[in-house]
Amino acid sequence: MTLAIQTAPREHYRLKHVVKSEVVKIVTLRSTAITLGLTVAVGLLVTGLVTNAALHHGPGYYSGFDPTQAALTGLIVAGLTGGVFGALLVTGEYSSGTIRTTLAATPKRRVLLAAKIGVTAATTVVFCELLSFVSFFLGEGILSGSGAPSANLGSPGALRAVLMTGLFIALMALMSFGFGLICRSTPAAIAAFVGVVFVLPLVMHGISEPDVRYLPTNILTNSIMSTVNQGPGGIVRPLSPALGLLLMAMYAAIAVAAGAVLFVKRDA
Amino acid sequence: MITAHSLTKRYGATTAVDNLTFEVPPGVVTGFLGPNGSGKSTTMRMIMGLDVPDSGTALIGGKRYCELAWPLREVGGLLDAKAFHPARSARNHLRWLALTNDIPLRRVDEVLDHVGLSSVAGRPVGKFSLGMSQRLGIAATLLGDPGVLLFDEPVNGLDPEGIRWVRHFLRGLAAEGRTVFVSSHLISEMSVTADRLVVIGRGRLIADTSVADFVNRSGGGAVKLITPDLAAFTSALTVEGANVGAGDGGSLTVEGLTAPQIGDLAARDGLRIHELMPISASLEDAFMELTQDEVEYRPSTMAGAAAAGRKE
C-alpha cells in the first residue's frame, strides 16, 4: 500500500461540499445535455412554427392575438422535459443505486436534500429563464417581419410574462423532483408528473370547467404567458399572474415537502 | 472498531436481524459469515446508516454513522458493486464523491491507479465488467483513506486472479491497523482471508470467534489410520482410552489421541502404520454443523456477549 495518509480538516462536511458534488453530478451526466439540448431544440422549433403560422392573415384574425404568448409557446415543451429532468435528478440515483453511495458519503439527509433542491432549482431557473428570453426574441423576430402584431420587452406585460414563464417551468421541474422523491422510480415519477400536468386537464374539462384554471398547464398558458386579460370573451376568467405563480409554487412546495419527509424517514 | 449492540431489524413479520451483538476490532480481517438471506447485508446497511434499526445500536469508533464529521475519511464501505450511474465515467464518479468530503481531487487518480483502473478511468462505468466495477467500488472506499472498511461480498463474480488480489488487499489493510469487516457466504474464502469470524444464521449470532477456534469447536481432532494390524491396533488404542471406529477400506478413525501419540504407541508396540492422517474439519464442515442445528447453538444475549467478550 502506498496510500498517503491525509489529515482530515477540522469541523465537518457542510452544505457547500454537497452542493459542489451535486453540480459535478449534473454536469457529468450525458442525460443532462440530452434533456436540456432537446428542450432547446424542440422548444424553439415549436415557437418558430406557431409564430410562423400566425403570419399572413387578414386583420380580423389578430383580434385577441397575443404575440407574447405566441412567442412563449415553445416553453410548454420545456414544461415536459423540465419535469423529466427534475424527476431524473432523484430517480436516476435510485435506479442506479448511486443513492446509497451518496448517503454513505453524506449521511445527514437534510443537508443532502437541501443541496439537491438548491442545485435543481438554480439549474432549472437559469436554464428556463434563458430559454424563455431566447424563445421570446425568436418569436417576435418572426412576427415582426410581416405585418402581424408583435411585442418587445417594453410592451405591457411582456417582460413580466417572459420572466414568470421561466420561473413557472422551473417550479414545475421542482414539483416533478418532489414526485421523484416520493416514487423513487423514474417511470412512476414521470407518470405522476405527466398525469398531473397533461392528463388531469383533459379529465377535468369534463368534470368541472371552472376548476381547470387551477391546474399547472392552464395557469401557465392563461395566466403566466398571456398578456391579454381574457375577459368574458374567454370561457373562464383566468387567475392573475401573481396568484397563478403563487399557486404553482405551493404545488411544488407540497410535492417537495412530502418527498422530503419520506426521504428523511425511509431506509435507503 | 465497529460495535453492534442488540441490533434488531424487522420487515413486517420477518425479523431480518435479531438482537445481534458483536465487535469488529482493528488490525485484523473479520469475516462476516452466513448463508444467503441471513441478514449480513441488512446489518451492514445499518452500520452504514442506510437502514435504521428497530432497536439496538451500530457504532463506529463510538459514533453513529450519521454523526461522523467526514464519513468518507472515517469509513469506506462497499455494499453494492454497481452503486454508480452507468453513464458516468469512473473518474467523474470518484470526483463527485471526493468533493462531498473535501478530499483533494489528485486523490482520485491515486486510488484509480491503486486498483489498476487508470487506463479505463474515462470510460462510462456501465460498460465495466463486474470485476472492474468491484475495483471501482474498492477505489471509492479508499478515497478518504479511512480507518474502518466494510465490504459486502467483495469477491462475488471475480475471477481467481481478482479473488487473490482482493484477499491480499484486505489483509494489507488490516496489517496497516485498519478495521476490516468482510461479509461472505463463501466459507472457503473466509478461511484464507479472515482472522476472526462473526457467524450468523437467520439474523442471529451463531459464533463470534477466531477462525482456528471455530474449526476446532466442531469435529476436530480425529485421526485416520490405515494399518495391516487392525485387531492389535484397535485393542491397543482402546486400552489407551481412545475411541476407535472402523472406517472404509480397512482404515480406523481414532478420536481422543493425536497423530503423534498414535505414532509413538505404534513404535512402542511394534505395530505397522501405512497411513496416519489427522482429519481437520474444514471451516465448511464447522459451518454446516453449526447452522444445521440452529436451535442448539442459538445463543442467548448473554452467550453472545460472552463470546464477544472472550475474544478481547
Side-chain angles (χ1 to χ4, degrees):
Chain A
M1 298 283 289
T2 52
L3 299 172
I5 305 282
Q6 311 155 17
T7 45
R10 281 157 187 256
E11 300 178 350
H12 51 86
Y13 70 96
R14 296 195 173 282
L15 186 66
K16 67 170 179 184
H17 301 114
V18 193
V19 166
K20 274 192 222 167
S21 113
E22 288 296 324
V23 169
V24 169
K25 270 188 197 167
I26 289 187
V27 172
T28 54
L29 273 191
R30 215 177 26 189
S31 67
T32 306
I34 293 172
T35 330
L36 299 186
L38 211 62
T39 307
V40 173
V42 181
L44 295 182
L45 182 69
V46 170
T47 296
L49 290 174
V50 168
T51 47
N52 192 58
L55 300 178
H56 314 299
H57 289 280
Y61 175 86
Y62 295 112
S63 88
F65 177 74
D66 186 345
T68 302
Q69 187 181 29
L72 292 173
T73 317
L75 269 291
I76 294 172
V77 177
L80 180 60
T81 50
V84 172
F85 178 73
L88 271 178
L89 286 182
V90 189
T91 57
E93 290 221 10
Y94 279 97
S95 62
S96 64
T98 315
I99 189 69
R100 288 190 290 280
T101 311
T102 305
L103 282 171
T106 51
K108 292 187 172 66
R109 297 191 182 190
R110 286 184 182 84
V111 176
L112 174 61
L113 196 57
K116 271 195 182 297
I117 292 171
V119 171
T120 308
T123 311
T124 48
V125 166
V126 169
F127 174 77
C128 293
E129 288 295 355
L130 280 174
L131 184 60
S132 191
F133 275 97
V134 171
S135 177
F136 179 79
F137 290 131
L138 173 74
E140 300 311 330
I142 292 171
L143 288 172
S144 63
S146 66
S150 67
N152 58 54
L153 286 179
S155 309
L159 182 60
R160 195 260 327 133
V162 174
L163 283 172
M164 277 193 171
T165 299
L167 198 54
F168 192 92
I169 285 161
L171 286 170
M172 285 172 73
L174 268 183
M175 180 175 78
S176 185
F177 174 92
F179 291 162
L181 281 176
I182 295 167
C183 302
R184 301 196 285 189
S185 122
T186 308
I190 290 177
F193 179 76
V194 171
V196 168
V197 172
F198 296 96
V199 180
L200 200 56
L202 301 176
V203 180
M204 288 274 287
H205 268 298
I207 300 170
S208 171
E209 188 66 33
D211 293 340
V212 166
R213 60 185 168 161
Y214 300 115
L215 297 177
T217 24
N218 295 68
I219 299 175
L220 176 63
T221 48
N222 298 337
S223 308
I224 304 292
M225 289 179 172
S226 165
T227 59
V228 178
N229 191 2
Q230 292 170 342
I235 304 164
V236 180
R237 192 172 187 86
L239 308 171
S240 77
L243 185 60
L245 192 68
L246 196 69
L247 213 52
M248 187 60 228
M250 214 176 69
Y251 296 156
I254 290 170
V256 171
V261 169
L262 291 172
F263 179 75
V264 170
K265 271 174 60 177
R266 276 198 292 219
D267 286 340
Chain B
M1 168 81 85
I2 303 170
T3 328
H5 183 74
S6 301
L7 210 52
T8 301
K9 180 76 181 177
R10 291 183 204 90
Y11 294 107
T14 10
T15 304
V17 174
D18 191 355
N19 204 20
L20 207 50
T21 297
F22 62 86
E23 277 184 357
V24 184
V28 291
V29 175
T30 302
F32 191 23
L33 198 56
N36 282 333
S38 55
K40 301 187 299 290
S41 296
T42 306
T43 303
M44 288 193 145
R45 279 204 304 274
M46 287 192 281
I47 295 171
M48 300 277 296
L50 295 173
D51 287 10
V52 182
D54 288 311
S55 63
T57 52
L59 302 178
I60 293 172
K63 282 184 187 168
R64 288 191 302 139
Y65 193 91
C66 65
E67 295 166 352
L68 298 175
W70 299 99
L72 294 185
R73 295 165 183 269
E74 292 161 69
V75 183
L78 173 58
L79 298 194
D80 177 358
K82 289 276 185 187
F84 23 70
H85 200 290
R88 208 175 268 126
S89 72
R91 181 177 287 117
N92 283 335
H93 173 70
L94 295 177
R95 274 178 60 211
W96 74 254
L97 205 49
L99 286 170
T100 58
N101 277 237
D102 205 15
I103 295 164
L105 290 180
R106 61 173 162 75
R107 183 78 187 146
V108 167
D109 288 316
E110 277 174 34
V111 295
L112 280 171
D113 190 48
H114 186 74
V115 300
L117 287 179
S118 294
S119 58
V120 292
R123 275 202 233 159
V125 295
K127 298 222 160 59
F128 278 17
S129 68
L130 184 53
M132 289 157 83
S133 299
Q134 293 277 25
R135 282 170 187 259
L136 178 57
I138 286 170
T141 65
L142 296 176
L143 262 185
D145 197 19
V148 175
L149 293 115
L150 293 91
F151 301 93
D152 195 5
E153 304 273 3
V155 300
N156 254 11
L158 294 190
D159 56 16
E161 196 214 328
I163 292 174
R164 261 173 71 91
W165 182 82
V166 169
R167 191 183 302 154
H168 282 286
F169 165 74
L170 294 176
R171 299 207 59 85
L173 291 172
E176 292 170 341
R178 300 176 208 253
T179 302
V180 183
F181 194 39
V182 196
S183 85
S184 182
H185 65 283
L186 298 171
I187 299 145
S188 51
E189 183 51 36
M190 284 297 101
S191 69
V192 285
T193 309
D195 308 290
R196 297 184 66 262
L197 287 178
V198 172
V199 185
I200 64 169
R202 290 197 209 167
R204 296 195 193 91
L205 187 70
I206 290 176
D208 180 354
T209 176
S210 72
V211 172
D213 270 10
F214 187 68
V215 174
N216 284 340
R217 259 170 65 178
S218 158
V223 180
K224 183 184 176 188
L225 170 69
I226 296 181
T227 172
D229 307 323
L230 263 178
F233 228 128
T234 306
S235 61
L237 287 164
T238 315
V239 169
E240 292 297 316
N243 199 355
V244 184
D248 46 297
S251 71
L252 296 172
T253 307
V254 186
E255 283 173 8
L257 286 178
T258 65
Q261 285 171 325
I262 296 168
D264 291 350
L265 176 80
R268 193 192 70 195
D269 291 358
L271 299 166
R272 290 171 294 171
I273 292 177
H274 286 177
E275 207 174 296
L276 185 63
M277 189 173 57
I279 310 169
S280 61
S282 68
L283 187 56
E284 194 156 343
D285 294 334
F287 179 73
M288 292 313 286
E289 192 169 316
L290 279 173
T291 49
Q292 259 168 21
D293 203 2
E294 260 195 29
V295 178
E296 186 181 344
Y297 288 89
R298 180 187 301 164
S300 65
T301 317
M302 290 305 293
R310 199 183 60 228
K311 294 319 299 169
E312 293 315 302

Short mmCIF file of all heavy atoms in Angstrom, two decimals, chain A residues 153-203:
data_model
loop_
_atom_site.label_atom_id
_atom_site.label_comp_id
_atom_site.label_asym_id
_atom_site.label_seq_id
_atom_site.Cartn_x
_atom_site.Cartn_y
_atom_site.Cartn_z
N LEU A 153 -39.82 43.74 -25.28
CA LEU A 153 -39.79 43.65 -23.82
C LEU A 153 -40.44 44.85 -23.15
O LEU A 153 -40.82 44.80 -21.99
CB LEU A 153 -38.35 43.49 -23.32
CG LEU A 153 -37.74 42.09 -23.55
CD1 LEU A 153 -36.31 42.06 -23.04
CD2 LEU A 153 -38.57 40.99 -22.92
N GLY A 154 -40.57 45.96 -23.94
CA GLY A 154 -41.21 47.15 -23.38
C GLY A 154 -42.73 47.12 -23.46
O GLY A 154 -43.41 47.93 -22.84
N SER A 155 -43.27 46.16 -24.25
CA SER A 155 -44.72 46.07 -24.38
C SER A 155 -45.34 45.75 -23.03
O SER A 155 -44.72 45.06 -22.22
CB SER A 155 -45.10 44.98 -25.40
OG SER A 155 -44.38 45.16 -26.58
N PRO A 156 -46.60 46.20 -22.80
CA PRO A 156 -47.22 45.99 -21.49
C PRO A 156 -47.29 44.50 -21.14
O PRO A 156 -47.79 43.69 -21.93
CB PRO A 156 -48.64 46.56 -21.67
CG PRO A 156 -48.55 47.45 -22.86
CD PRO A 156 -47.45 46.95 -23.72
N GLY A 157 -46.75 44.15 -20.01
CA GLY A 157 -46.84 42.77 -19.52
C GLY A 157 -45.85 41.81 -20.13
O GLY A 157 -45.72 40.68 -19.69
N ALA A 158 -45.12 42.23 -21.19
CA ALA A 158 -44.25 41.28 -21.90
C ALA A 158 -43.09 40.79 -21.03
O ALA A 158 -42.85 39.59 -20.91
CB ALA A 158 -43.73 41.92 -23.18
N LEU A 159 -42.38 41.72 -20.41
CA LEU A 159 -41.23 41.34 -19.58
C LEU A 159 -41.70 40.45 -18.42
O LEU A 159 -41.07 39.44 -18.09
CB LEU A 159 -40.52 42.59 -19.05
CG LEU A 159 -39.28 42.32 -18.21
CD1 LEU A 159 -38.23 41.55 -18.99
CD2 LEU A 159 -38.69 43.62 -17.66
N ARG A 160 -42.84 40.83 -17.83
CA ARG A 160 -43.42 40.04 -16.74
C ARG A 160 -43.70 38.62 -17.22
O ARG A 160 -43.35 37.64 -16.55
CB ARG A 160 -44.71 40.74 -16.28
CG ARG A 160 -45.29 40.33 -14.97
CD ARG A 160 -46.47 39.34 -15.01
NE ARG A 160 -47.39 39.41 -16.12
CZ ARG A 160 -47.80 38.35 -16.79
NH1 ARG A 160 -47.36 37.14 -16.49
NH2 ARG A 160 -48.62 38.47 -17.79
N ALA A 161 -44.30 38.49 -18.39
CA ALA A 161 -44.65 37.17 -18.91
C ALA A 161 -43.40 36.33 -19.17
O ALA A 161 -43.34 35.15 -18.83
CB ALA A 161 -45.46 37.32 -20.20
N VAL A 162 -42.36 36.94 -19.75
CA VAL A 162 -41.14 36.20 -20.08
C VAL A 162 -40.46 35.72 -18.80
O VAL A 162 -40.09 34.54 -18.67
CB VAL A 162 -40.18 37.08 -20.91
CG1 VAL A 162 -38.86 36.36 -21.13
CG2 VAL A 162 -40.82 37.42 -22.26
N LEU A 163 -40.33 36.61 -17.83
CA LEU A 163 -39.67 36.25 -16.57
C LEU A 163 -40.45 35.17 -15.81
O LEU A 163 -39.90 34.18 -15.35
CB LEU A 163 -39.51 37.47 -15.67
CG LEU A 163 -38.39 38.45 -16.05
CD1 LEU A 163 -38.47 39.71 -15.19
CD2 LEU A 163 -37.02 37.79 -15.88
N MET A 164 -41.77 35.37 -15.73
CA MET A 164 -42.59 34.44 -14.96
C MET A 164 -42.68 33.07 -15.61
O MET A 164 -42.78 32.05 -14.93
CB MET A 164 -43.99 35.01 -14.76
CG MET A 164 -44.10 35.97 -13.60
SD MET A 164 -45.85 36.25 -13.25
CE MET A 164 -45.77 37.18 -11.73
N THR A 165 -42.67 33.04 -16.95
CA THR A 165 -42.74 31.75 -17.64
C THR A 165 -41.54 30.89 -17.29
O THR A 165 -41.67 29.70 -16.97
CB THR A 165 -42.83 31.96 -19.17
OG1 THR A 165 -44.02 32.69 -19.45
CG2 THR A 165 -42.85 30.64 -19.91
N GLY A 166 -40.34 31.49 -17.32
CA GLY A 166 -39.13 30.74 -16.94
C GLY A 166 -39.22 30.23 -15.51
O GLY A 166 -38.95 29.05 -15.24
N LEU A 167 -39.67 31.08 -14.63
CA LEU A 167 -39.78 30.71 -13.22
C LEU A 167 -40.81 29.61 -13.02
O LEU A 167 -40.61 28.66 -12.26
CB LEU A 167 -40.17 31.97 -12.42
CG LEU A 167 -39.95 31.94 -10.92
CD1 LEU A 167 -38.50 31.59 -10.60
CD2 LEU A 167 -40.31 33.29 -10.31
N PHE A 168 -41.92 29.74 -13.73
CA PHE A 168 -43.02 28.78 -13.59
C PHE A 168 -42.58 27.38 -13.99
O PHE A 168 -42.89 26.39 -13.31
CB PHE A 168 -44.20 29.24 -14.46
CG PHE A 168 -45.49 28.50 -14.18
CD1 PHE A 168 -46.39 29.00 -13.26
CD2 PHE A 168 -45.79 27.33 -14.85
CE1 PHE A 168 -47.57 28.33 -12.99
CE2 PHE A 168 -46.97 26.65 -14.59
CZ PHE A 168 -47.87 27.16 -13.66
N ILE A 169 -41.83 27.32 -15.09
CA ILE A 169 -41.41 26.00 -15.55
C ILE A 169 -40.37 25.39 -14.62
O ILE A 169 -40.35 24.19 -14.37
CB ILE A 169 -40.94 26.08 -17.01
CG1 ILE A 169 -42.20 26.22 -17.86
CG2 ILE A 169 -40.15 24.86 -17.43
CD1 ILE A 169 -41.97 26.75 -19.21
N ALA A 170 -39.53 26.25 -14.04
CA ALA A 170 -38.60 25.77 -13.03
C ALA A 170 -39.37 25.18 -11.84
O ALA A 170 -38.98 24.16 -11.27
CB ALA A 170 -37.69 26.90 -12.57
N LEU A 171 -40.48 25.82 -11.48
CA LEU A 171 -41.30 25.30 -10.38
C LEU A 171 -41.94 23.96 -10.74
O LEU A 171 -42.07 23.06 -9.92
CB LEU A 171 -42.40 26.31 -10.01
CG LEU A 171 -41.93 27.54 -9.23
CD1 LEU A 171 -43.04 28.58 -9.13
CD2 LEU A 171 -41.45 27.15 -7.84
N MET A 172 -42.34 23.83 -12.02
CA MET A 172 -42.89 22.55 -12.46
C MET A 172 -41.83 21.45 -12.34
O MET A 172 -42.13 20.33 -11.93
CB MET A 172 -43.38 22.65 -13.91
CG MET A 172 -44.71 23.41 -14.05
SD MET A 172 -45.16 23.74 -15.77
CE MET A 172 -45.65 22.10 -16.31
N ALA A 173 -40.59 21.79 -12.71
CA ALA A 173 -39.50 20.81 -12.60
C ALA A 173 -39.28 20.43 -11.13
O ALA A 173 -39.02 19.27 -10.81
CB ALA A 173 -38.22 21.38 -13.20
N LEU A 174 -39.40 21.41 -10.24
CA LEU A 174 -39.23 21.12 -8.81
C LEU A 174 -40.36 20.22 -8.29
O LEU A 174 -40.13 19.34 -7.46
CB LEU A 174 -39.21 22.41 -8.01
CG LEU A 174 -37.84 23.05 -7.76
CD1 LEU A 174 -37.99 24.27 -6.89
CD2 LEU A 174 -36.88 22.05 -7.11
N MET A 175 -41.58 20.45 -8.78
CA MET A 175 -42.68 19.59 -8.39
C MET A 175 -42.39 18.15 -8.80
O MET A 175 -42.58 17.21 -8.03
CB MET A 175 -43.99 20.07 -9.02
CG MET A 175 -45.20 19.24 -8.66
SD MET A 175 -46.75 19.92 -9.30
CE MET A 175 -46.65 19.41 -11.01
N SER A 176 -41.88 18.01 -10.02
CA SER A 176 -41.54 16.68 -10.52
C SER A 176 -40.41 16.06 -9.70
O SER A 176 -40.38 14.85 -9.45
CB SER A 176 -41.14 16.79 -11.99
OG SER A 176 -40.93 15.52 -12.52
N PHE A 177 -39.47 16.90 -9.27
CA PHE A 177 -38.39 16.47 -8.37
C PHE A 177 -39.00 15.88 -7.10
O PHE A 177 -38.58 14.83 -6.61
CB PHE A 177 -37.51 17.68 -8.06
CG PHE A 177 -36.43 17.46 -7.04
CD1 PHE A 177 -35.16 17.08 -7.43
CD2 PHE A 177 -36.68 17.68 -5.69
CE1 PHE A 177 -34.16 16.90 -6.48
CE2 PHE A 177 -35.69 17.50 -4.74
CZ PHE A 177 -34.43 17.11 -5.13
N GLY A 178 -40.04 16.55 -6.58
CA GLY A 178 -40.76 16.05 -5.40
C GLY A 178 -41.41 14.71 -5.68
O GLY A 178 -41.33 13.79 -4.86
N PHE A 179 -42.04 14.56 -6.88
CA PHE A 179 -42.61 13.26 -7.25
C PHE A 179 -41.53 12.19 -7.28
O PHE A 179 -41.75 11.05 -6.91
CB PHE A 179 -43.28 13.33 -8.63
CG PHE A 179 -44.55 14.18 -8.65
CD1 PHE A 179 -45.05 14.65 -9.85
CD2 PHE A 179 -45.22 14.47 -7.47
CE1 PHE A 179 -46.21 15.41 -9.89
CE2 PHE A 179 -46.38 15.24 -7.49
CZ PHE A 179 -46.88 15.71 -8.70
N GLY A 180 -40.34 12.59 -7.75
CA GLY A 180 -39.21 11.65 -7.79
C GLY A 180 -38.85 11.17 -6.40
O GLY A 180 -38.59 9.99 -6.17
N LEU A 181 -38.84 12.09 -5.43
CA LEU A 181 -38.52 11.72 -4.05
C LEU A 181 -39.57 10.77 -3.48
O LEU A 181 -39.26 9.87 -2.72
CB LEU A 181 -38.49 12.97 -3.17
CG LEU A 181 -37.24 13.84 -3.20
CD1 LEU A 181 -37.46 15.08 -2.34
CD2 LEU A 181 -36.02 13.08 -2.71
N ILE A 182 -40.82 11.00 -3.88
CA ILE A 182 -41.90 10.17 -3.35
C ILE A 182 -41.86 8.78 -3.99
O ILE A 182 -41.93 7.76 -3.31
CB ILE A 182 -43.27 10.83 -3.60
CG1 ILE A 182 -43.36 12.15 -2.81
CG2 ILE A 182 -44.41 9.90 -3.20
CD1 ILE A 182 -44.51 13.04 -3.20
N CYS A 183 -41.72 8.73 -5.33
CA CYS A 183 -41.85 7.46 -6.05
C CYS A 183 -40.54 6.67 -6.09
O CYS A 183 -40.55 5.45 -6.12
CB CYS A 183 -42.28 7.69 -7.50
SG CYS A 183 -43.85 8.56 -7.64
N ARG A 184 -39.41 7.35 -6.15
CA ARG A 184 -38.08 6.74 -6.23
C ARG A 184 -37.90 5.86 -7.47
O ARG A 184 -36.98 5.07 -7.55
CB ARG A 184 -37.77 5.90 -4.98
CG ARG A 184 -37.82 6.72 -3.71
CD ARG A 184 -37.16 6.01 -2.58
NE ARG A 184 -37.97 4.93 -2.07
CZ ARG A 184 -37.70 4.25 -0.96
NH1 ARG A 184 -36.62 4.54 -0.27
NH2 ARG A 184 -38.48 3.30 -0.54
N SER A 185 -38.80 5.97 -8.43
CA SER A 185 -38.64 5.21 -9.67
C SER A 185 -38.95 6.14 -10.83
O SER A 185 -39.92 6.90 -10.79
CB SER A 185 -39.57 4.00 -9.66
OG SER A 185 -40.43 4.02 -10.76
N THR A 186 -38.09 6.09 -11.86
CA THR A 186 -38.24 7.01 -12.98
C THR A 186 -39.59 6.90 -13.67
O THR A 186 -40.28 7.92 -13.84
CB THR A 186 -37.09 6.80 -14.00
OG1 THR A 186 -35.85 6.87 -13.29
CG2 THR A 186 -37.11 7.85 -15.09
N PRO A 187 -40.03 5.68 -14.08
CA PRO A 187 -41.33 5.61 -14.77
C PRO A 187 -42.48 6.12 -13.90
O PRO A 187 -43.35 6.85 -14.39
CB PRO A 187 -41.50 4.11 -15.05
CG PRO A 187 -40.15 3.52 -14.89
CD PRO A 187 -39.38 4.38 -13.95
N ALA A 188 -42.48 5.77 -12.62
CA ALA A 188 -43.57 6.18 -11.73
C ALA A 188 -43.60 7.69 -11.58
O ALA A 188 -44.67 8.32 -11.65
CB ALA A 188 -43.43 5.50 -10.37
N ALA A 189 -42.43 8.30 -11.37
CA ALA A 189 -42.38 9.75 -11.15
C ALA A 189 -42.82 10.49 -12.41
O ALA A 189 -43.57 11.47 -12.36
CB ALA A 189 -40.98 10.16 -10.75
N ILE A 190 -42.35 10.03 -13.58
CA ILE A 190 -42.70 10.71 -14.82
C ILE A 190 -44.19 10.52 -15.12
O ILE A 190 -44.88 11.44 -15.57
CB ILE A 190 -41.81 10.22 -15.99
CG1 ILE A 190 -40.38 10.74 -15.75
CG2 ILE A 190 -42.33 10.71 -17.33
CD1 ILE A 190 -39.37 10.29 -16.77
N ALA A 191 -44.70 9.31 -14.81
CA ALA A 191 -46.13 9.08 -15.00
C ALA A 191 -46.95 10.02 -14.12
O ALA A 191 -47.94 10.61 -14.56
CB ALA A 191 -46.47 7.62 -14.68
N ALA A 192 -46.52 10.19 -12.88
CA ALA A 192 -47.23 11.08 -11.96
C ALA A 192 -47.20 12.51 -12.49
O ALA A 192 -48.22 13.22 -12.50
CB ALA A 192 -46.59 11.02 -10.57
N PHE A 193 -46.03 12.93 -12.97
CA PHE A 193 -45.89 14.29 -13.48
C PHE A 193 -46.75 14.52 -14.71
O PHE A 193 -47.53 15.49 -14.78
CB PHE A 193 -44.41 14.57 -13.80
CG PHE A 193 -44.18 15.94 -14.36
CD1 PHE A 193 -44.20 17.05 -13.53
CD2 PHE A 193 -43.94 16.14 -15.71
CE1 PHE A 193 -44.00 18.32 -14.03
CE2 PHE A 193 -43.74 17.40 -16.23
CZ PHE A 193 -43.77 18.49 -15.38
N VAL A 194 -46.64 13.61 -15.67
CA VAL A 194 -47.43 13.75 -16.90
C VAL A 194 -48.93 13.68 -16.57
O VAL A 194 -49.74 14.40 -17.14
CB VAL A 194 -47.03 12.67 -17.94
CG1 VAL A 194 -47.99 12.66 -19.13
CG2 VAL A 194 -45.61 12.92 -18.42
N GLY A 195 -49.26 12.82 -15.62
CA GLY A 195 -50.65 12.69 -15.21
C GLY A 195 -51.20 14.00 -14.68
O GLY A 195 -52.26 14.45 -15.13
N VAL A 196 -50.48 14.61 -13.78
CA VAL A 196 -50.97 15.85 -13.17
C VAL A 196 -50.96 17.00 -14.18
O VAL A 196 -51.91 17.79 -14.26
CB VAL A 196 -50.10 16.22 -11.95
CG1 VAL A 196 -50.39 17.64 -11.49
CG2 VAL A 196 -50.34 15.24 -10.82
N VAL A 197 -49.89 17.09 -14.96
CA VAL A 197 -49.71 18.26 -15.79
C VAL A 197 -50.45 18.17 -17.13
O VAL A 197 -51.00 19.15 -17.61
CB VAL A 197 -48.20 18.52 -16.01
CG1 VAL A 197 -47.98 19.63 -17.02
CG2 VAL A 197 -47.56 18.90 -14.68
N PHE A 198 -50.49 16.98 -17.72
CA PHE A 198 -51.04 16.90 -19.06
C PHE A 198 -52.32 16.09 -19.18
O PHE A 198 -53.10 16.30 -20.10
CB PHE A 198 -49.99 16.35 -20.04
CG PHE A 198 -48.79 17.26 -20.19
CD1 PHE A 198 -47.65 17.05 -19.44
CD2 PHE A 198 -48.84 18.35 -21.05
CE1 PHE A 198 -46.55 17.90 -19.55
CE2 PHE A 198 -47.75 19.21 -21.16
CZ PHE A 198 -46.61 18.99 -20.41
N VAL A 199 -52.54 15.13 -18.27
CA VAL A 199 -53.74 14.30 -18.37
C VAL A 199 -54.89 14.87 -17.55
O VAL A 199 -56.03 14.94 -18.00
CB VAL A 199 -53.45 12.83 -17.95
CG1 VAL A 199 -54.71 11.99 -18.06
CG2 VAL A 199 -52.35 12.25 -18.82
N LEU A 200 -54.56 15.33 -16.35
CA LEU A 200 -55.59 15.86 -15.46
C LEU A 200 -56.43 16.97 -16.12
O LEU A 200 -57.65 16.98 -15.97
CB LEU A 200 -54.94 16.35 -14.16
CG LEU A 200 -55.85 16.50 -12.94
CD1 LEU A 200 -56.57 15.18 -12.63
CD2 LEU A 200 -55.05 16.96 -11.72
N PRO A 201 -55.81 17.90 -16.87
CA PRO A 201 -56.62 18.94 -17.52
C PRO A 201 -57.68 18.35 -18.45
O PRO A 201 -58.81 18.82 -18.48
CB PRO A 201 -55.59 19.75 -18.32
CG PRO A 201 -54.30 19.51 -17.63
CD PRO A 201 -54.36 18.14 -17.07
N LEU A 202 -57.31 17.29 -19.18
CA LEU A 202 -58.27 16.68 -20.11
C LEU A 202 -59.44 16.09 -19.33
O LEU A 202 -60.60 16.24 -19.72
CB LEU A 202 -57.58 15.56 -20.91
CG LEU A 202 -56.37 15.98 -21.74
CD1 LEU A 202 -55.72 14.77 -22.40
CD2 LEU A 202 -56.78 17.01 -22.78
N VAL A 203 -59.15 15.40 -18.23
CA VAL A 203 -60.19 14.79 -17.42
C VAL A 203 -61.06 15.87 -16.78
O VAL A 203 -62.28 15.77 -16.79
CB VAL A 203 -59.56 13.89 -16.34
CG1 VAL A 203 -60.63 13.25 -15.47
CG2 VAL A 203 -58.68 12.82 -16.98
#
